Amino acid sequence: MAGVQFPLTAKGDRSTTGFNKDAFKAVAESLGCQDLAQAISSEKNWRQKYDTHIENIIENLAVMSLLDSAKMATAMQAGLDKARAMEFETSEGNSVPLTTVMAALERKFETATITGSQEAKTELTLPYHGKELKGPEIDAKCDSWATVGTMELGCAEALKSGARKLGQLKGRTFLVLGASSELGAVRPLLEAGATVAAVMRSNNKRWGELINFARGTAGTLLAPIGAGKDAGSDQEIAEAAGADLLKDAPAISEWLLRCGREASGLVTVSTYLYADGEANVRVTAAADFIAETAAKELGKDKVSFAYLASGSTSHLIPAEAIQAQEANHNSGNFWAKAVGKRRDCSPSLQGAKFWAASNPQGQAASYHFFRGVVGLQGPNYALAQYMRQWRAVLLHMQGFIVSTPVTPNCRTDSVVHNPTMKVLLEGMAYWKPMESFDPDTCRMAMFAILVADLTEPMTDLASPVQIFTQRAFHSGLWRCPFDLGSLGISTWFLGKVAPRKQPVVDAQ
């Protein structure tokens, strides 16, 4: 199978378990946490117990972000270097290091340009339970979500502001990896008059729908076309367009870099990727090389970056979230208190130990850490998510504008294809202040936050990892007082027999 591959092991296979462990072990070793590195090496049941090990690593990264951000960055880079140490199998069947082919970019794609003919949208519409919220209605809903605790206050303010600033997107170019993503911003960007260079695999139907959509907007769609293919009419473009990030990574990097250089205005590299299982890590590795190249070649005065951080990852959270957890527990229902386990966001024993060893001032550990990794999703999902988060932090520390807010629980196809997750999403609203969202709501909300991030960059952060948390739309996870794992059976039962779309406190 040509394209990006995990490296061959001494046994002659392409093990993902050992590769996954090595990436997190590299972070631990860079931080000086030999005990955590040894624990990872010794773990015989990584698939079932990976989450505990990863939580320890991420907590220590969070600690170091507060005490020595440069050392944190070095550890993140070590993890990325190990996670990108893949191979690329050529069409002739030869395997070469991925880093080698990504450094020798080849020109394989030409550009088809699809120009819209409509007026640009200047104000956002937010779909929500059958309604189309605008202006003051969006403001009221954001204020409600922030008050209840479904999102952070900074998120509410960013969403409200971004909803009114769509006009500032005209003249910008977005280089989008994962243009078919349900939560990606491709379509609203086109409606706002932006130029979008879209990367997604060949699919006549999908490309045809996107091209037809673009014609009815104020935007410009750029599509990669294989050299020598006919692309005169829209139908021919739909048949010829497409690029596979796993198979065509070097050529995609060259094409996007060319689009970025030719852009007259500001450029944003947007990564909206998902793939099942181990392919998620491979596609993320390819995308990371592309982001790194764009940063180096285009520079921070021209290019910015956009990601969506998964809610199923772990983060430093503000003290206000802990206070809200206490209040929500005090007002919680009897059943939740009877069967639910209190969420503990205090420093773990190993985290406090690491803090003490890393803090020469002798102050006690003082931080709040949300442990969000969901074991059901698997170690490859976790590694792919953290690879993107590590790159986002490194870019931010290098002075680039980076948009990467935490996203809410959402009924995307990639989630609801798992029947257990599908039912669980319908039961979460029983636990204050939890709420799960339809893709249309989430897409437009995150789009508005993207606009705010690009036009009102965050400054004066206490820690570089606050780029995820200050404008987080976390579904209420951070302010729910219970470990949802302890409510799993109850959540599933309620979601099955009496599904609820809105929280008890907000249902109308």
Side-chain angles (χ1 to χ4, degrees):
M1 180 171 58
V4 181
Q5 302 291 332
F6 284 91
L8 284 170
T9 68
K11 296 179 180 179
D13 62 4
R14 299 187 186 275
S15 169
T16 63
T17 297
F19 186 92
N20 195 291
K21 292 170 69 174
D22 285 347
F24 287 105
K25 181 180 174 183
V27 178
E29 291 175 338
S30 180
L31 289 172
C33 303
Q34 297 301 327
D35 54 340
L36 298 186
Q38 182 57 46
I40 291 173
S41 295
S42 302
E43 181 57 66
K44 302 299 184 183
N45 191 8
W46 182 251
R47 176 60 185 84
Q48 300 302 320
K49 296 182 179 180
Y50 78 94
D51 51 343
T52 299
H53 296 282
I54 290 178
E55 296 285 21
N56 289 337
I57 297 296
I58 302 305
E59 182 175 357
N60 284 9
L61 279 174
V63 166
M64 197 54 68
S65 79
L66 296 168
L67 301 178
D68 187 343
S69 61
K71 187 171 182 179
M72 173 212 67
T74 299
M76 289 180 172
Q77 187 64 61
L80 273 174
D81 289 343
K82 186 64 71 171
R84 302 194 320 172
M86 295 194 176
E87 296 177 354
F88 189 88
E89 185 176 311
T90 67
S91 56
E92 294 80 22
N94 301 317
S95 290
V96 295
L98 180 59
T99 185
T100 300
V101 298
M102 294 306 295
L105 305 184
E106 60 172 323
R107 179 163 180 155
K108 177 179 176 180
F109 297 108
E110 300 303 326
T111 304
T113 302
I114 299 93
T115 304
S117 58
Q118 302 300 310
E119 292 295 319
K121 289 189 175 182
T122 58
E123 187 176 14
L124 182 134
T125 299
L126 183 66
Y128 186 68
H129 296 301
K131 298 179 181 179
E132 298 288 330
L133 307 183
K134 296 181 180 181
E137 296 172 318
I138 292 177
D139 292 351
K141 176 48 63 179
C142 288
D143 291 342
S144 173
W145 280 328
T147 299
V148 171
T150 309
M151 62 170 54
E152 294 304 294
L153 178 61
C155 177
E157 296 303 318
L159 203 165
K160 291 188 292 184
S161 176
R164 290 174 166 82
K165 291 188 172 182
L166 303 194
Q168 296 191 30
L169 296 179
K170 200 161 187 179
R172 288 178 177 257
T173 296
F174 291 79
L175 314 179
V176 179
L177 294 165
S180 61
S181 166
E182 280 190 89
L183 301 186
V186 168
R187 297 196 176 205
L189 284 169
L190 290 169
E191 289 180 320
T195 296
V196 176
V199 175
M200 66 177 177
R201 288 178 293 182
S202 298
N203 184 305
N204 188 3
K205 183 175 182 294
R206 283 189 175 181
W207 273 108
E209 291 173 347
L210 182 56
I211 290 168
N212 184 61
F213 180 86
R215 291 292 187 197
T217 71
T220 299
L221 174 65
L222 307 179
I225 306 294
K229 292 185 177 181
D230 294 329
S233 67
D234 284 359
Q235 182 177 343
E236 288 176 334
I237 295 174
E239 293 172 352
D244 188 323
L245 191 52
L246 290 177
K247 297 179 181 179
D248 303 317
I252 290 173
S253 185
E254 188 280 333
W255 180 69
L256 289 177
L257 189 58
R258 189 167 9 116
C259 290
R261 284 172 171 157
E262 293 172 355
S264 59
L266 297 175
V267 174
T268 301
V269 177
S270 305
T271 302
Y272 304 125
L273 295 170
Y274 174 80
D276 287 333
E278 51 80 27
N280 207 6
V281 180
R282 292 189 288 135
V283 77
T284 299
D288 190 71
F289 276 103
I290 293 172
E292 183 181 56
T293 298
K296 178 180 178 181
E297 297 297 328
L298 298 180
K300 60 186 177 183
D301 291 334
K302 183 165 187 176
V303 69
S304 54
F305 296 85
Y307 299 86
L308 294 175
S310 170
S312 298
T313 49
S314 302
H315 299 279
L316 289 175
I317 61 175
E320 292 82 1
I322 305 303
Q323 295 164 6
Q325 287 181 18
E326 188 65 27
N328 287 330
H329 180 266
N330 293 339
S331 62
N333 62 60
F334 170 79
W335 181 253
K337 292 180 179 180
V339 303
K341 176 185 176 182
R342 283 298 300 270
R343 183 181 296 283
D344 184 6
C345 295
S346 60
S348 67
L349 290 177
Q350 72 83 26
K353 178 182 176 182
F354 183 65
W355 173 286
S358 306
N359 183 10
Q361 305 302 320
Q363 301 164 328
S366 178
Y367 62 89
H368 308 287
F369 186 69
F370 172 79
R371 298 168 178 85
V373 174
V374 178
L376 182 65
Q377 292 180 314
N380 287 316
Y381 177 88
L383 178 56
Q385 292 296 330
Y386 282 119
M387 287 171 68
R388 295 169 202 165
Q389 292 186 20
W390 296 340
R391 177 58 64 192
V393 171
L394 293 174
L395 289 167
H396 167 75
M397 293 181 68
Q398 292 164 13
F400 290 91
I401 293 174
V402 181
S403 174
T404 180
V406 170
T407 56
N409 294 328
C410 186
R411 302 177 185 87
T412 59
D413 287 342
S414 62
V415 174
V416 300
H417 83 284
N418 181 312
T420 300
M421 289 300 298
K422 181 178 181 179
V423 176
L424 286 172
L425 288 175
E426 302 308 308
M428 286 185 177
Y430 282 92
W431 319 120
K432 182 181 178 181
M434 293 292 299
E435 182 173 1
S436 299
F437 296 89
D438 291 334
D440 288 348
T441 303
C442 184
R443 181 189 312 112
M444 297 308 292
M446 303 317 292
F447 171 57
I449 298 168
L450 168 64
V451 177
D453 283 342
L454 295 180
T455 58
E456 306 167 16
M458 291 177 284
T459 58
D460 300 325
L461 302 179
S463 159
V465 299
Q466 285 185 342
I467 59 173
F468 307 110
T469 59
Q470 195 170 85
R471 295 174 175 176
F473 193 174
H474 47 68
S475 272
L477 278 168
W478 296 357
R479 297 179 178 234
C480 179
F482 304 105
D483 182 339
L484 292 185
S486 66
L487 295 170
I489 295 176
S490 299
T491 305
W492 186 91
F493 177 79
L494 290 168
K496 190 71 173 178
V497 302
R500 181 186 289 276
K501 299 292 186 183
Q502 296 175 261
V504 176
V505 295
D506 198 35
Q508 297 178 356

